[in-house]
Amino acid sequence: MSASAVHSLWTTAATAADPISKIDTPKIEYGQLSPTLIILGAAIIGVLVEAFVPRKHRYYAQLFVSVVALIAAFAAVVALAADGYGTTKARIAAMGAIAVDGPALFLQGTILLAALVGLFTFAERRLDPEAHGARVDSFAAQAASVPGSESEQAAVKAGFTTTEVFPLLLFAVAGMLVFPSANDLLTLFIALEVFSLPLYLLCALARRKRLMSQEAAVKYFLLGAFASAFTLFGIALLYGYAGSVSYGTIASVVDGTVQNVNPALADTMGNDALLLVGAAMILMGLLFKVGAVPFHMWTPDVYQGAPTPVTGFMAAATKVAAFGALLRLLYVVLPGLRWDWRPVMWGVAIITMLGGAIVAITQTDIKRLLAYSSIAHAGFILAGVIATTPDGVSSVLFYLAAYSFVTIGAFAVVTLVRDAGGEATHLSKWAGLGRRSPLVAAVFAVFLLAFAGIPLTSGFAGKFAVFKAAAEGGAAPLVVVGVISSAIAAFFYIRVIVLMFFSEPRADGPTVAVPSPLTMMAIAVGVAVTLVLGVAPQYFLDLANQAGVFVR
């Protein structure tokens, strides 16, 4: 048989067997993806600013680009919500890759506002004494130089600052915006990497205690790489199980309602081992990002070693993005597996609440204490996730919004308390702070009371909403454990307040630096949100309620 005959046979066979002979043009809804596109565009502009703008103008240029981008992206989210994309017009955009619905828009708005407040702490340049006549921020003078080397000393002398932190922050925010709205597993994984890699870099950039900062970044990177590998392997197994990475298709295969089974996949589709192991691996990756026990080991070290503005931003925004992705995975992809994942999540929530609260009592460093406190809070939020009711979703959304501003505000206060070596984070140095600077101590006390869940603070409203949803969802024993954990946690928060107001100040104690209006604004927003959500939470609870329905 001649070669041309073989070729013609091959092409006819291919045409007959392959109905997808033409590739459809991609259809992208740019308007519905505008918040993410604005942030990505600004991040790329930030990289160009680093390349082309003279060094002495970069800081102001980067700050301007970042602030404008975050405000514009938030305005785009509000416009989409006002247009009904959170409720009646909720849809799947970008050829099935991104969901534009209530939870996605609510979480994106929260992430953008948290990033804007976090950005003010990044831009703070009045806390450290001037170095060689130049104002400096919390970040290394030259990230590439070895700590203590001549090149680092030369960079400090020249008054250099690492303005690359602004585009890195924007790239991280872009990944975080996609993460809770991803509607297929590959988009989820790409978003995970896009927001994790800039965070690994940001953690290593502290101006003071650089070795500790670099150690924190390496720990975070190594453990994060493990978690990403688990996630990717889980995605491969779920793809093998369902023959698709799309959330909707996987959900229909799990429920058994799938139409048009591909004959090549008919054998694996009934294989529950692939489904269970794959789902468990993806869950592990998400629980790592959330900081739940037993995937929490990176949290205290990274929170302590990273520059404090980065810690505040990361503690708030990463939790919001990761819980959003976790909710979508459990409520959209795996509702048919509820009886399998609920008992596991019960166990994780209980050990996370108790573990975070009990270990926090032994901490002597304020940043580590806040890290263990954030682990306990992850447990409280998981109680809302386990509720598996619409109220569960809306209570988690409200808790995340309330928690993120308190966290950034608390870490912003930590940046103010300083001694000769930089930030004074050892608890013993905070003794008597209420007598030295009553205002700073009072503000920090407000944040601690909110973390403890005392009435008239946002923490109380958030905990009440989450526990109520869990109790109504049939998880009453979990609520009992949550209340006990809250009582344990209240002990160490109130211990810090007692230390600040009822101890004698030490003669060699730290001073409180006077910040620029940027940090003052970050702290003021934190206090305002804490009190408003505590005293009059109803409007925001209703908003979270309207936004609590996932598009399928």
Side-chain angles (χ1 to χ4, degrees):
M1 195 184 276
S2 73
S4 61
V6 171
H7 183 255
S8 71
L9 270 177
W10 179 75
T11 45
T12 8
T15 321
D18 182 15
I20 319 170
S21 50
K22 67 177 200 308
I23 296 173
D24 292 331
T25 327
K27 184 171 172 296
I28 306 293
E29 297 84 345
Y30 291 103
Q32 291 156 41
L33 304 179
S34 55
T36 313
L37 295 175
I38 290 168
I39 296 293
L40 271 175
I44 292 164
I45 292 169
V47 173
L48 295 174
V49 166
E50 284 300 313
F52 297 112
V53 173
R55 195 182 281 273
K56 65 170 186 273
H57 300 309
R58 278 182 208 165
Y59 165 81
Y60 296 104
Q62 293 283 24
L63 186 56
F64 176 75
V65 167
S66 306
V67 169
V68 168
L70 289 167
I71 292 172
F74 182 71
V77 169
V78 172
L80 285 171
D83 207 13
Y85 283 103
T87 46
T88 49
K89 284 194 195 169
R91 65 188 54 212
I92 307 293
M95 300 182 69
I98 302 282
V100 183
D101 57 8
L105 292 175
F106 189 94
L107 292 164
Q108 286 179 340
T110 306
I111 289 166
L112 289 165
L113 286 180
L116 184 61
V117 179
L119 179 76
F120 294 151
T121 61
F122 271 61
E124 176 59 62
R125 300 184 95 173
R126 288 224 191 131
L127 299 178
D128 267 315
E130 290 191 359
H132 304 281
R135 284 189 173 165
V136 296
D137 52 22
S138 305
F139 301 98
Q142 194 164 9
S145 56
V146 177
S149 65
E150 285 176 18
S151 65
E152 185 186 47
Q153 289 160 8
V156 172
K157 205 171 222 172
F160 290 177
T161 53
T162 303
T163 42
E164 293 94 325
V165 294
F166 295 104
L168 283 174
L169 172 88
L170 291 177
F171 278 120
V173 171
M176 288 172 185
L177 294 181
V178 176
F179 199 54
S181 58
N183 193 58
D184 70 48
L185 293 171
L186 279 183
T187 309
L188 180 86
F189 181 74
I190 291 164
L192 174 72
E193 293 306 301
V194 169
F195 85 76
S196 296
L197 294 170
L199 287 178
Y200 300 149
L201 286 174
L202 286 169
C203 286
L205 295 179
R207 180 173 282 270
R208 311 283 188 106
K209 301 180 182 160
R210 279 197 64 196
L211 285 172
M212 192 172 168
S213 166
Q214 290 177 355
E215 180 195 351
V218 169
K219 281 179 178 168
Y220 191 21
F221 170 65
L222 289 175
L223 290 169
F226 267 109
S228 297
F230 274 115
T231 310
L232 198 54
F233 199 41
I235 290 170
L237 292 175
L238 276 190
Y239 177 69
Y241 171 80
S244 169
V245 287
S246 160
Y247 282 9
T249 311
I250 298 171
S252 59
V253 176
V254 174
D255 294 343
T257 55
V258 66
Q259 312 291 320
N260 316 325
V261 176
N262 185 334
L265 290 165
D267 296 339
T268 55
M269 275 186 175
N271 188 342
D272 284 352
L274 286 178
L275 169 66
L276 291 170
V277 178
M281 286 186 148
I282 295 176
L283 271 182
M284 277 165 69
L286 292 176
L287 289 173
F288 171 86
K289 279 289 165 207
V290 161
V293 179
F295 313 106
H296 69 291
M297 295 310 290
W298 61 278
T299 312
D301 291 340
V302 174
Y303 278 32
Q304 186 183 10
T308 307
V310 175
T311 308
F313 164 68
M314 187 170 71
T318 307
K319 260 204 179 34
V320 177
F323 267 111
L326 185 67
L327 278 173
R328 194 174 294 277
L329 185 78
L330 294 179
Y331 281 58
V332 176
V333 185
L334 304 173
L337 266 192
R338 185 174 302 169
W339 299 109
D340 295 293
W341 62 253
R342 266 191 86 170
V344 178
M345 296 298 276
W346 266 66
V348 170
I350 288 170
I351 58 171
T352 304
M353 288 190 282
L354 288 172
I358 292 167
V359 181
I361 293 174
T362 64
Q363 299 306 311
T364 55
D365 184 278
I366 195 84
K367 283 168 82 174
R368 285 183 85 86
L369 185 134
L370 290 174
Y372 279 106
S373 137
S374 87
I375 292 169
H377 281 283
F380 300 141
I381 302 172
L382 281 173
V385 174
I386 291 167
T388 59
T389 59
D391 277 355
V393 179
S394 60
S395 70
V396 169
L397 297 182
F398 178 82
Y399 199 122
L400 288 168
Y403 172 81
S404 49
F405 292 100
V406 182
T407 304
I408 295 177
F411 280 107
V413 173
V414 172
T415 61
L416 303 185
V417 183
R418 309 179 87 80
D419 58 16
E423 288 160 9
T425 55
H426 198 280
L427 271 180
S428 63
K429 295 185 176 174
W430 285 59
L433 190 72
R435 301 187 188 184
R436 282 221 170 108
S437 34
L439 182 62
V440 169
V443 165
F444 197 59
V446 169
F447 292 138
L448 290 174
L449 292 172
F451 282 137
I454 303 297
L456 297 184
T457 63
S458 58
F460 174 76
K463 270 186 191 162
F464 184 78
V466 165
F467 288 162
K468 178 168 172 276
E472 287 170 357
L478 206 59
V479 177
V480 175
V481 176
V483 172
I484 293 169
S485 302
S486 295
I488 297 170
F491 166 74
F492 62 80
Y493 295 128
I494 289 167
R495 190 183 72 183
V496 176
I497 295 174
V498 169
L499 183 77
M500 290 193 298
F501 287 101
F502 300 105
S503 299
E504 285 301 319
R506 285 166 46 166
D508 60 339
T511 54
V512 172
V514 178
S516 68
L518 290 166
T519 296
M520 285 182 191
M521 203 173 343
I523 295 172
V525 168
V527 173
V529 171
T530 303
L531 296 177
V532 168
L533 294 187
V535 177
Q538 200 51 52
Y539 170 76
F540 298 94
L541 282 165
D542 292 344
L543 198 65
N545 230 354
Q546 288 166 9
V549 183
F550 289 104
V551 64
R552 284 187 168 80

